[in-house]
Amino acid sequence: MDLRLIIVLYSCALVAQAVLQPFFRGGGRGQGGGRGRFNNRRGNNQGIRGSGRGHYCHGVSYEPSWQYCCGSDVISKKAQTCCNGRPVWNGKDLCCRGSVQIGGAGSKCCGSDAYHPDKHTCCRGHALDKKNQDCCRGQAIWLNRNLCCSGRVQNGGQGWKCCVWLL
């Protein structure tokens, strides 16, 4: 083989390696990782990587003015947020204490779980079914066995009423 041909092939290999290297760094797209720091409670994303002109997320170029680098994915700021390195769809899912939860419209976080305020009540980080339970000063009670009278749990159940003494 001619020496000039070997030099040309070697040069091409070096250029190809330089061009393709960003795509193989960090495990590639879709293979998890989530090495960045994200905090969507304050609405900022500390996981945006890149400097100077180009911004890259595991080798994929993105525009930080309207996109996030979330784990190993590039996501839209308008449609999604980032929850502990995982994309979360706005209006569909919630990020509850760093855990992605399926919520839907009107749902809220209760601890690390999602709940619907029209069907549930949140009591010290636990979602309670409003049909059967209530929260009495941070204590879960069963409505068929207990009453909450002035913030105190009392024996009783459905059909019972609290008696308030006035002095």
Side-chain angles (χ1 to χ4, degrees), residues 40-109:
N40 76 343
R41 276 187 234 170
R42 282 185 253 140
N44 65 357
N45 185 310
Q46 300 167 5
I48 295 175
R49 295 177 180 89
S51 60
R53 289 178 136 187
H55 295 268
Y56 294 93
C57 179
H58 293 274
V60 177
S61 176
Y62 71 98
E63 177 52 52
S65 62
W66 60 276
Q67 292 176 314
Y68 286 132
C69 178
C70 181
S72 61
D73 297 309
V74 175
I75 63 174
S76 165
K77 287 182 178 182
K78 198 172 198 176
Q80 295 175 296
T81 55
C82 194
C83 180
N84 207 17
R86 295 182 57 203
V88 176
W89 288 98
N90 298 336
K92 180 184 169 210
D93 302 327
L94 294 170
C95 182
C96 300
R97 291 190 179 166
S99 175
V100 178
Q101 298 294 323
I102 297 170
S107 58
K108 296 182 177 185
C109 289

Side-chain angles (χ1 to χ4, degrees), residues 15-29:
V15 170
Q17 180 184 8
V19 170
L20 295 175
Q21 186 177 12
F23 291 98
F24 295 103
R25 238 183 289 157
R29 276 180 65 74

Side-chain angles (χ1 to χ4, degrees), residues 110-129:
C110 179
S112 60
D113 296 323
Y115 78 104
H116 297 275
D118 55 330
K119 296 178 184 178
H120 301 92
T121 188
C122 184
C123 186
R124 283 203 167 169
H126 299 285
L128 307 176
D129 184 357

